[in-house]
Amino acid sequence: MTFDASRGAEAPPELVQLLTPEGERVEHPAYDIDLTPEEIRGLYRDLVLVRRVDMEAVALQRQGELGIWASLLGQEAAQIGSGRALTDADMAFPTYREHGVAWCRDVDPVNLLGLFRGVNHGGWDPAEHNFHLYTIVIGSQTLHAVGYAMGIQRDGADAATIVYFGDGATSQGDVNEAFIWASVFNAPVVFFCQNNQWAISEPLEKQSKIPLYRRASGFGFPGIRVDGNDVFACLAVTRQALKNAREGQGPTLIEAFTYRMGAHTTSDDPTRYRVAGELEAWKLKDPIERVKAYMFKTQIADQDYFDAIDAEAADLGRDVRKRCLEMPDPHPLEIFDNVYTEPHALLVEEREQYAAYLATFEGGDR
Amino acid sequence: MTTLTLAKAINEGLRTAMEADAKVLVMGEDVGKLGGVFRVTDGLQKDFGESRVIDTPLAESGIIGTAIGLALRGYRPVCEIQFDGFVFPAADQIITQLAKMPLRSLGKLRLPVVVRIPCGGGIGAVEHHSESPEAYFTHTGGLRVVACSNPADGFHMIQQAIRCDDPVIFFEPKRRYWEKGEVERGAPPLPFDRGEVVRPGTDVTVVAYGPMVRTCLEAAAAVAEEGRSLEVLDLRSLNPLDTELIYESVRKTGRCVIAHEAPVYSGLGAEIATRVTEACFYHLEAPVLRVGGFSTPYPPSRLEDHYLPDLDRVLDAVDRTFAF
Ligand SMILES: Cc1ncc(C[n+]2csc(CCOP(=O)(O)OP(=O)(O)O)c2C)c(N)n1
Ligand SMILES: [Mg+2]
């Protein structure tokens, strides 16, 4: 059961947590999860591997191989927990930071790099993965997700939509309109807000005077706050919200309470606006360490297992790096491709003119 | 005389305007503590406080909408849109409200709102960070639209924009933010709606603004050695246009090339070319030519050097005006 804030019957527990930062399993009255050791090992592997991909991407940016990168560091549990709650038929709409969700949707990590390397605007087929393209314009995708959910509803399909957005995004008109549409049409959509405490340099107080999950009540659907660094809780809460959506109970807002441990992007310098102590405090709540501690304690895994995952991560990092460097630059005339479905007179003309112009340079190269 | 980067010059211009008039406010995303993603508002919040330098919620329509309200209450808000591609959520407030309210009030209301927009490409950014949306705004009656190209203009024009009682869309060429130039603080600036001959010449008039001014100056320098003399104009004001400046130059040279980063199709160049043809028809030796972006969305950054007109493409157009 999700807490329905709109009914306001009782104060909600502020934060759904199933695994403490120290790696203790705790009970929650409304949510529980029964995971096999195999599943827990799988979640741990996901967390470690996406952190490794992210780390490699940061390094690639530093070395000039990517123009920019938006790191997910610290948000792995929110993304893996929610991402692993999805069925194949569910559809996900990401921002630009959802590398962990992309992983859960089987998008090749190298394909995430194209946008940041500047070789394409999005390098995967959204329909193949049920994972939409990254959206950079803050909040826009929330409306797309609701529309998609309205389609699911009309098809009578056994599926739901999940849409990711940040704490800053909650200020956008589009996001508030999405809440209204989802509510009025009872759309099967889960609003998954990763409150990582910052929108570039602006702390949450610049966006909201109330906890974000409580916004939902004003729109007429349930809101819930989950420990975003607890992969078990994120999985349990998202699973339930998706199930409710699929069963016709409409939208849920999930606020995953987490922390952006890195810079906003590689272009950002957080020392200008936040104190180092904040990061230190959040490091104690690291999403990966707590799972590891739990697995050690419960003997779900031993050191050999952890070493094997680390080795796999190192291999993955190397592989991503290698294939990033091999990514070819597109041909200049590809600028004119895919803008329209059918040949378009203006672009045909511009393409021909530019091809002729390029040909005037020796070797056709400019 | 001091040497400043364009970003610093605009920063100093903002500071000077804020010192001169307590009604001047700066507002936008990350403009306070961070000083803006390009540091154009660096240090202003520290010196003028949080009530004059406002870190706003992440909502562009809100930024412009509330700026309109503040202006109605006698303030002079200077709004920063973080990147060109993010002005569109605010387009409704700009086009349906900001541009029209003074007229609707029969002139009783004045909306001295400045909308600063870092514009253009060339910095290797991801999508929505390299756009040149000026034509949407020059097409909207009620807005003044300007583009600075160098530190001196950045310093003076931002102050003129703030003093102006009309809404002003103020374009800043982001790839030029770090380029340095001389700024004379006390010098009387050119009128706000005037363009400038930035390099005199006799053979071809090359019309540019914002980021393309420097490119065109470099083109002019490159062909000077070959004995070809380009006259480069920096429009500065995009609406209104300093048409007399353009006509006078074209009547002298007989040839005209217009360069901008925005798509050629339905771009500002189309307006200028038509006007030049109408006003200078008997002086023209060749059709007016345009150089600019393609009619596609802005490409991934690895291809942006093909999309953005460079020195070679400007000179190619110059050559073509001699083929007639
Ligand atoms: C409409 C729009 N305005 C501004 C920006 C610039 N911008 C990029 S990310 C960002 C902050 C987003 O914060 P939040 O929603 O909390 O997501 P986070 O980056 O923290 O994941 C801003 C202002 C943008 N991308 N889109
Ligand atoms: Mg955030």
Side-chain angles (χ1 to χ4, degrees):
Chain A
M1 262 301 294
T2 51
F3 173 77
D4 185 347
S6 63
R7 287 187 207 109
E10 56 184 85
E14 271 287 295
L15 194 74
V16 177
Q17 189 183 68
L18 300 176
L19 186 65
T20 69
E22 295 74 35
E24 301 294 342
R25 270 294 260 120
V26 285
E27 300 289 314
H28 188 277
Y31 293 94
D32 198 15
I33 195 156
D34 197 12
L35 295 166
T36 64
E38 191 56 39
E39 285 170 324
I40 293 170
R41 281 193 290 268
L43 290 172
Y44 176 81
R45 175 175 172 271
D46 288 341
L47 293 168
V48 171
L49 295 190
V50 298
R51 180 172 284 189
R52 187 65 184 79
V53 169
D54 187 77
M55 212 178 99
E56 199 60 46
V58 171
L60 283 163
Q61 194 283 334
R62 293 275 175 259
Q63 292 148 13
E65 295 296 337
L66 302 179
I68 193 171
W69 179 251
S71 168
L72 64 31
L73 189 67
Q75 300 176 220
E76 295 88 349
Q79 295 192 14
I80 296 299
S82 60
R84 286 298 177 207
L86 297 166
T87 65
D88 285 349
D90 293 336
M91 178 72 184
F93 287 81
T95 71
Y96 38 81
R97 208 186 286 286
E98 266 67 73
H99 321 310
V101 185
W103 173 262
C104 298
R105 302 310 273 172
D106 288 332
V107 176
D108 183 339
V110 175
N111 289 344
L112 302 176
L113 304 183
L115 171 82
F116 298 93
R117 187 168 165 87
V119 301
N120 58 43
H121 290 313
W124 59 92
D125 177 357
E128 185 190 331
H129 299 277
N130 272 355
F131 183 72
H132 191 64
L133 300 176
Y134 278 179
T135 299
I136 287 175
V137 182
I138 301 296
S140 291
Q141 75 281 9
T142 54
L143 283 165
H144 312 156
V146 173
Y148 194 97
M150 290 167 67
I152 290 177
Q153 195 175 39
R154 276 152 186 73
D155 293 344
D158 183 25
T161 298
I162 189 167
V163 58
Y164 293 86
F165 54 101
D167 43 292
T170 62
S171 293
Q172 279 289 10
D174 277 7
V175 175
N176 287 273
E177 291 177 24
F179 289 168
I180 290 165
W181 282 66
S183 172
V184 166
F185 293 100
N186 202 42
V189 58
V190 174
F191 293 106
F192 196 91
C193 177
Q194 287 169 85
N195 173 5
N196 63 7
Q197 314 301 326
W198 293 92
I200 311 187
S201 73
E202 297 196 13
L204 183 64
E205 306 86 81
K206 300 284 177 193
Q207 317 289 346
S208 187
K209 293 287 181 194
I210 59 159
L212 293 174
Y213 76 93
R214 284 201 210 149
R215 293 259 181 100
S217 76
F219 291 93
F221 53 88
I224 181 103
R225 179 184 272 181
V226 60
D227 181 346
N229 287 14
D230 173 353
V231 71
F232 296 169
C234 288
L235 179 57
V237 167
T238 312
R239 222 177 231 174
Q240 184 63 50
L242 287 166
K243 181 165 177 283
N244 292 351
R246 285 187 216 103
E247 290 173 355
Q249 294 178 53
T252 303
L253 170 62
I254 299 173
E255 176 192 357
F257 202 77
T258 181
Y259 191 70
R260 195 194 80 206
M261 291 177 83
H264 169 69
T265 65
T266 45
S267 305
D268 177 41
D269 173 12
T271 63
R272 289 179 71 100
Y273 54 80
R274 68 183 191 187
V275 295
E278 194 179 281
L279 175 60
E280 292 311 312
W282 276 92
K283 274 186 183 162
L284 302 174
K285 303 182 200 172
D286 186 272
I288 299 184
E289 285 311 313
R290 69 177 74 183
V291 182
K292 192 172 183 180
Y294 174 72
M295 290 168 80
F296 251 130
K297 259 185 270 207
T298 52
Q299 297 179 342
I300 285 174
D302 57 14
Q303 193 56 47
D304 286 348
Y305 174 80
F306 294 119
D307 291 345
I309 296 293
D310 285 346
E312 187 184 357
D315 285 346
L316 178 63
R318 265 191 298 275
D319 175 60
V320 165
R321 159 169 299 266
K322 177 167 166 287
R323 290 190 295 136
C324 174
L325 301 184
E326 286 164 4
M327 238 186 244
D329 280 356
H331 187 276
L333 295 178
E334 286 179 34
I335 288 179
F336 303 97
D337 291 350
N338 299 314
V339 182
Y340 297 97
T341 42
E342 300 282 328
H344 178 281
L346 175 61
L347 289 204
V348 168
E349 177 191 306
E350 288 186 0
R351 188 182 194 281
E352 276 171 10
Q353 279 170 358
Y354 194 60
Y357 171 75
L358 282 181
T360 63
F361 291 84
E362 248 170 275
D365 214 25
R366 193 166 135 267
Chain B
M1 200 87 114
T2 33
T3 305
L4 298 175
T5 62
L6 174 61
K8 185 65 183 159
I10 299 170
N11 176 277
E12 298 266 311
L14 286 168
R15 176 178 292 278
T16 309
M18 294 186 81
E19 281 163 356
D21 183 350
K23 294 290 186 187
V24 176
L25 307 177
V26 165
M27 53 198 287
E29 296 155 10
D30 305 289
V31 297
K33 216 164 185 182
L34 184 65
V37 294
F38 293 106
R39 310 292 184 261
V40 172
T41 56
D42 192 22
L44 297 180
Q45 189 179 69
K46 191 169 134 272
D47 296 341
F48 295 98
E50 288 187 26
S51 80
R52 290 190 66 194
V53 180
I54 307 166
D55 269 330
T56 67
L58 205 178
E60 287 77 10
S61 182
I63 293 171
I64 304 302
T66 57
I68 290 171
L70 283 158
L72 291 173
R73 185 70 195 179
Y75 287 88
R76 305 182 88 85
V78 185
C79 305
E80 176 173 299
I81 297 295
Q82 199 162 80
F83 282 90
D84 34 60
F86 309 136
V87 69
F88 301 112
D92 172 44
Q93 287 289 346
I94 294 174
I95 294 168
T96 72
Q97 304 301 318
L98 185 62
K100 297 180 174 62
M101 221 178 266
L103 163 90
R104 288 172 50 228
S105 72
L106 303 177
K108 300 268 186 314
L109 299 177
R110 293 283 168 236
L111 290 181
V113 174
V114 179
V115 183
R116 293 183 36 240
I117 308 177
C119 68
I123 63 161
V126 292
E127 57 172 0
H128 313 299
H129 292 72
S130 305
E131 317 241 318
S132 300
E134 63 271 14
Y136 298 113
F137 300 107
T138 57
H139 195 68
T140 301
L143 305 173
R144 286 179 185 269
V145 183
V146 302
C148 59
S149 70
N150 60 71
D153 278 353
F155 176 76
H156 291 294
M157 286 173 70
I158 190 66
Q159 296 178 64
Q160 291 172 310
I162 293 167
R163 278 197 300 271
C164 179
D165 280 335
D166 296 325
V168 177
I169 310 295
F170 192 92
F171 285 104
E172 304 172 2
K174 67 173 83 80
R175 66 173 149 133
R176 307 292 184 207
Y177 269 145
W178 303 278
E179 289 174 9
K180 288 186 177 162
E182 298 288 311
V183 177
E184 202 171 336
R185 286 164 206 268
L190 271 182
F192 193 44
D193 53 4
R194 289 293 161 72
E196 193 180 8
V197 176
V198 286
R199 179 183 172 111
T202 52
D203 297 340
V204 183
T205 299
V206 178
V207 180
Y209 54 90
M212 285 304 295
V213 173
R214 162 126 187 216
T215 309
C216 292
L217 284 171
E218 287 167 359
V223 286
E225 294 155 23
E226 301 160 18
R228 193 164 270 174
S229 165
L230 308 189
E231 174 147 300
V232 182
L233 310 188
D234 180 354
L235 287 178
R236 299 167 81 255
S237 177
L238 311 186
N239 185 356
L241 284 171
D242 187 352
T243 48
E244 270 319 309
L245 182 87
I246 305 169
Y247 299 161
E248 200 183 311
S249 174
V250 176
R251 286 184 188 126
K252 181 175 71 180
T253 62
R255 291 185 167 79
C256 181
V257 169
I258 305 152
H260 51 57
E261 288 189 13
V264 167
Y265 193 82
S266 291
L268 191 58
E271 180 63 37
I272 299 167
T274 309
R275 284 173 177 269
V276 166
T277 309
E278 286 167 357
C280 312
F281 190 69
Y282 293 107
H283 293 86
L284 284 172
E285 305 286 344
V288 180
L289 296 184
R290 292 167 290 160
V291 190
F294 305 120
S295 303
T296 65
Y298 197 84
S301 62
R302 295 262 173 159
L303 292 181
E304 72 179 335
D305 289 346
H306 288 277
Y307 182 94
L308 294 172
D310 62 359
L311 185 148
D312 285 329
R313 268 169 71 197
V314 171
L315 292 182
D316 174 64
V318 165
D319 286 346
R320 283 187 284 129
T321 68
F322 281 97
F324 287 92

